[in-house]
């Protein structure tokens, strides 16, 4: 068989591990040929690809990023692609396509599958918000990076009797904030799923100082927002240079806490360090398993599906289901963390 | 309520996180009193304990080891304890006991529960071999340590055209070897579950050298053993000083490969570094959730049970079931790793 | 002898290692008594202290922060303290004082020494900008944290064909930016010591993209500033909430590069993660040696001096000399890094 | 100019950073041509080499191992090479050779230089035992790996009231044992430089247990040996399979301590994990500086010399001097560690 593989969307530790696993299983296990499209769907549409043999994926298991490059999806071109799908397939002699990507990529994959392309998807997001799978690779690495940062910030906060506000990734789902907050022992956790109360955060800090614990750490997802009437906050303010990105919730919340509490409150915005670099062992194993099962699905003709973790098993889930609903943090998970939410 | 907690068996990253979570939930959440017994069941039998309040567990979340100390179980004394259980409970005014431990501890807990003590267990093993739960805390940390070692060894192996044999923990179940082998990209993985073929390992090395990949890494569980007729190996040989421990499978296999292949083969025995030190974020979260749910089970009167991970949920499983069967690596999981087994 | 020890100024990995070493050497080595003042000079002036024996410093070697707490120096109160110094010494029965701190602390120590207090200083700064010593502890840890961040950012930058701008600490001296930039392989490094050219940075990025290396990383010290006429940048702009801190050089430079290059440029502000958490082995060794030699200096009556690293030796340098001149990055060190400055 | 570069001897983190720096400085800085010989001096003698341009060294800064491969030196062939040196040089059109290696390599380089080859050496050893330079790259990484292992072992030792014996590298010089022992807070450190007393180690352990500190960690260099009459120990015992390597000092000492103390004592042999993998930031900076200065020395015609760190400067030292004497740990450095030696 001739199998195409591509990576699309944001960087995510484990992408190379999937590519390597696909190549190992397909080439060494089944005698297939694998080609890798460059820069995501763009490379597919422009027929920019290279052959991937065992040598091509040697040494990439532990490496962050993607050797294939990536790009964000342009929906218009994809629709066009769907129309030309049969030609594309025939021209390239593709027996199957394995796109590795997040919600946008899986939606696109679902469209391609509907248009008749033999597609098996592999889900990817550091945000862990795809509902069809228990976990996605990249998430564990992001949580690990954020947790190490919180560990470091705690000693500084304690030495200086400060409040530290750590902003982590998570625009629509707060999984990274929840788990790194729990793992780092943050005293407050703010998630997109539940508008937070500045009053409650202040009360928590005051109570800690009263108990002699003269510091506090608040872990806030970039997509978190205050409850009605709690704090003046509008995302997307424009700064004096015409850029809107600088005033995130972390900076804003630290300023507010400092004003209200009369104590030093310092923001730390972790940003892109969470999505780069070598994946954790957990993510490498999950990514490798996803790659292996994607190839097996191809050989079974299990198209229109994507790999998913359920308990300890890798199963196949319909691509269409995968993208219907965002997996957000349920209240029961917040209860388990001894933090203010 | 008055809740006792103890840690028993081998060291395991995440023990302190469970203790902290039990105290946070019980004391801050329910207004309970928590006492911690020292050195496992020994402390229980000798009524050596201390009160655990919020201050007592401050700063321990990320710390390896156990602030309560641990000890291996002496079965005779435990049987005796079971007989005296009602007295013990009454004397100490215990409403519930939360033992955190491995197979031995859970068996003991099951006996104590059968004898009428209100027990809720928390499973603990870096080996991940308890069948009632998808994963146990400590395992992810052990795999992480072993994977980092394999990452390091690969560059050395490659620079010197060597075979490296890494021995990791796992006497009866090969989970650490499987997952660190996969995450580190080991070319051979030897597990207790499947007697390995030295012939196959040699063929793999020869094939790699023939392809120009002039090194190989073999990851071997301490409990792995060669298939019939493959290699002269008897565990527990006595050395010239009367100690039996030095001749493990890692050393033995490296010597055999060197002899057969005529290439340098170096053993590395990771040993106890796998079970100490700060837990990964994954293990801290799992341990915290286990602690929280153990306290909730106590308050529901859900005795004779232990916490367990199923998919993304924490559920309660009967203690009796937990210890009936060891969870070993199934053949399907070996298939997913592109290694020689 | 009765020796006082205190930590002052910003958090710095290795403070606890110095405290531990002072106590070990003084108590176990010389039979001295050691007392630790709380919250820096404040604790000295308010006679808030506790006895430090071997138990008190058990387990702190690898821990970030300072078990004694710290505070910034208020110069007015210190001047007053200098006047009362003899009373202070007599009252507390102090035979020597070992203050551990940065430039401000060493200046204060120098004043106290001039006023007659038997002082031996230990220099501390993550910025590595004290001229009397080859290196200071804390610096290696800060460089390590920043380097790991750059490592991670590179894979993300590469996958997305982006410019990443990493802002690291260093208000007046660019050592952290220089060494983490070299260690991480940054393509541009901006230091306080040399106004940078945005033109040169843009040319470097364009040249890289032209060569097919479709990403770049710029490492910028927080105190770096553009050369005349290169970029509109005034530190300390006030945002709409009345806070001035958000618009640092990292954010500003990323915006400028994005505008000029027409390519995505993302800022990452590392902030306080650089100064917290467990120290590297290098910093633990240096801190331990400093502590040991400080006690020896006390016993030799070598007052008014501070510990310093020269080559591989620890020597004593006059406190007065230590603070006359900031150690900045010389041009020769910039030459060694194959980066744009 | 046409410059050759090669790496010889054992693996050492930072080798790739030197190669990269040489290429960057020579090619981008001076417009030179650089060729890399494969597998050390072997590749030189067999004229196996490849051109190294900027692309060839892209992405290797943080990678362990050496992209050029390495091999141990065969002295006979080298002598022969020295005789043929003029032919070699002429044939390959070499204007200079930069060998990167340890004592053996530098000795060989010195011979080649004496025979008229234009050689500039770069010292390399994780053991830090070359006297002409304050430190060598690779050492900091090795100490970091060993320290992290000791950190992890301490929690396990403490939870189980055990003695842990950690064997680290260092056949003739004990720098790794000294610095990782200090950084990890080992209670006993055994070095090749000073025969150790088992009596003293036992007394230290007993004293600790008597004080309620119920564990101890001993860090022992592989080349350490007991003082006369202290312990039956002969290196190089042959095991029942005819291999001599298994009975190292770590295993032997743990057995002895267990026998004498009647307490559990566990050996951990770190082995090759200390010399592989990504270098620390410190080692990357030092390696990069060495590479840069080696090229500058070539252009100055400063042959027969090697790069060396003196304080904060890189200087050139005569190759002949470099190898006359091993730099061992002086007694003064042992004094600074609060450990039993």
């Amino acid at each position: 068989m001739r199998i195409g593989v591509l990576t699309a969307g944001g960087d995510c530790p484990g992408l190379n591990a999937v590519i390597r696993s696909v190549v190992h299983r397909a080439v060494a296990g089944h005698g297939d040929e694998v080609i890798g499209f460059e820069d995501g769907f763009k490379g597919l549409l422009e027929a920019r690809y290279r052959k991937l043999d065992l040598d091509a994926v040697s040494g990439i298991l532990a490496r962050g990023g993607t050797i294939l490059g990536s790009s964000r999806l342009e929906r218009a071109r994809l629709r066009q692609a769907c129309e030309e799908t049969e030609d594309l397939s025939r021209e390239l002699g593709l027996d199957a396509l394995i796109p590795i990507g997040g919600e946008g990529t899986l939606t696109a994959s679902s469209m391609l599958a509907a248009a008749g392309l033999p597609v098996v998807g592999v889900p990817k997001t550091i945000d862990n918000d795809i509902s069809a799978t228990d976990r996605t690779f990249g998430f564990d690495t992001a949580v690990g990076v954020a947790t190490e940062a919180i560990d470091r910030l705690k000693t500084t906060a304690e030495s200086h009797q400060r409040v530290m506000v750590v902003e982590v990734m998570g625009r629509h789902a707060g999984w990274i904030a929840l788990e790194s907050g729990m793992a780092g022992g943050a005293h407050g956790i703010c998630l997109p799923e539940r508008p937070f109360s500045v009053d409650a955060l202040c009360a928590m800090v005051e109570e800690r100082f009263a108990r002699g614990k003269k510091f506090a750490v608040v872990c806030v997802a970039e997509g978190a927002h205050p409850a009605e009437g709690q704090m003046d906050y509008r995302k997307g303010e424009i700064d004096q240079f015409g850029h809107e990105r600088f005033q995130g919730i972390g900076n804003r919340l630290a300023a507010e806490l400092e004003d209200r509490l009369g104590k030093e409150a310092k923001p730390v915005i972790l940003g892109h360090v969470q999505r780069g670099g070598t994946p954790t062992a957990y993510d490498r194993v999950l990514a490798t398993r996803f790659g292996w099962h994607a190839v097996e699905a191809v050989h079974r003709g299990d198209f229109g599906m994507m790999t998913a973790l359920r308990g300890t098993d890798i199963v196949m889930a319909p691509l269409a289901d995968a993208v219907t609903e965002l997996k957000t943090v349920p209240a029961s998970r917040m209860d388990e963390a001894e933090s203010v939410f």
Side-chain angles (χ1 to χ4, degrees), chain A:
Chain A
M1 295 184 79
R2 190 171 210 224
I3 302 176
V5 63
L6 63 83
T7 52
D11 190 21
C12 183
L15 288 171
N16 281 328
V18 181
I19 296 169
R20 173 181 174 275
S21 179
V22 164
V23 171
H24 274 234
R25 184 59 188 159
V27 174
H30 289 286
D32 299 333
E33 185 190 13
V34 177
I35 60 174
F37 294 100
E38 281 164 26
D39 304 329
F41 282 106
K42 253 192 214 168
L44 174 64
L45 297 178
E46 299 166 7
R48 281 190 292 115
Y49 60 89
R50 60 178 188 267
K51 208 184 143 183
L52 296 178
D53 56 13
L54 295 184
D55 267 357
V57 297
S58 176
I60 68 169
L61 172 58
R63 230 184 288 167
T66 160
I67 57 165
L68 293 176
S70 182
S71 65
R72 300 278 175 186
L73 196 73
E74 295 153 72
R75 214 159 260 255
R77 291 195 68 189
L78 186 78
R79 193 156 303 130
Q80 173 202 341
C82 286
E83 288 159 18
E84 303 165 7
T85 186
E86 285 199 75
D87 297 349
L88 255 173
S89 266
R90 209 179 310 123
E91 214 171 292
L92 297 166
L94 272 197
D95 297 302
L97 177 69
I98 301 180
I100 311 165
E103 210 210 338
T105 306
L106 298 175
T107 305
S109 303
S110 182
M111 290 165 61
L112 288 173
L117 215 63
V119 172
V120 173
V122 172
K124 170 236 73 164
T125 158
I126 63 161
D127 291 329
N128 199 36
D129 57 3
I130 294 179
S131 49
T133 182
D134 282 0
R135 281 169 86 98
T136 45
F137 63 85
F139 172 62
D140 192 65
T141 304
V143 170
V145 169
T147 300
E148 203 202 308
I150 296 175
D151 281 355
R152 289 197 174 275
L153 292 171
K154 274 190 150 177
T155 75
T156 286
E158 192 166 11
S159 302
H160 290 293
Q161 315 201 348
R162 262 181 202 157
V163 179
M164 305 289 318
V165 176
V166 193
E167 184 187 303
V168 300
M169 285 190 164
R171 224 163 277 214
H172 306 294
W175 290 105
I176 295 177
L178 176 78
E179 297 226 340
S180 65
M182 285 180 78
H187 311 100
I189 300 178
C190 305
L191 309 177
E193 286 86 350
R194 180 185 286 181
F196 62 84
S197 157
V198 184
D199 296 344
L201 290 170
C202 287
M204 175 274 290
V205 175
E206 299 284 18
E207 186 269 343
R208 283 185 58 79
F209 274 72
R211 272 202 294 131
K213 298 281 169 198
K214 294 179 184 284
F215 74 103
V217 174
V218 177
C219 183
V220 53
E222 58 181 336
H225 50 274
E228 189 80 26
Q230 284 287 317
M231 188 172 89
D232 184 23
Y233 176 63
R234 296 173 304 282
K235 287 183 70 166
E237 301 268 355
I238 305 301
D239 76 358
Q240 78 256 42
F241 302 100
H243 289 269
E244 69 159 13
R245 66 190 149 196
F246 303 148
Q247 180 63 19
I249 185 65
N251 286 325
R252 182 65 195 89
L253 178 56
E256 181 80 13
L257 291 175
E258 192 161 302
D259 285 350
R260 287 215 204 174
L261 291 163
K263 299 178 199 307
E264 263 195 314
K266 299 275 187 189
V268 172
I269 316 302
L270 287 185
H272 288 80
V273 287
Q274 296 163 82
R275 51 184 333 111
T278 192
T280 59
Y282 183 98
D283 281 339
R284 296 190 206 172
V285 171
L286 183 56
T288 299
R289 298 179 74 191
F290 273 3
W292 194 91
H293 282 275
V295 173
E296 292 306 290
V298 163
H299 276 268
R300 283 193 312 266
D302 226 354
F303 298 117
M305 310 290 278
M306 62 168 236
T307 57
L309 176 71
R310 296 273 169 80
T312 58
D313 296 325
I314 309 296
V315 302
M316 301 308 292
L319 273 168
D321 292 8
V323 292
T324 45
E325 207 185 350
L326 204 69
K327 184 175 67 178
T328 52
V329 176
S332 61
R333 285 300 306 271
M334 301 184 207
D335 292 342
E336 296 167 357
E338 296 297 322
S339 301
V340 171
F341 280 88

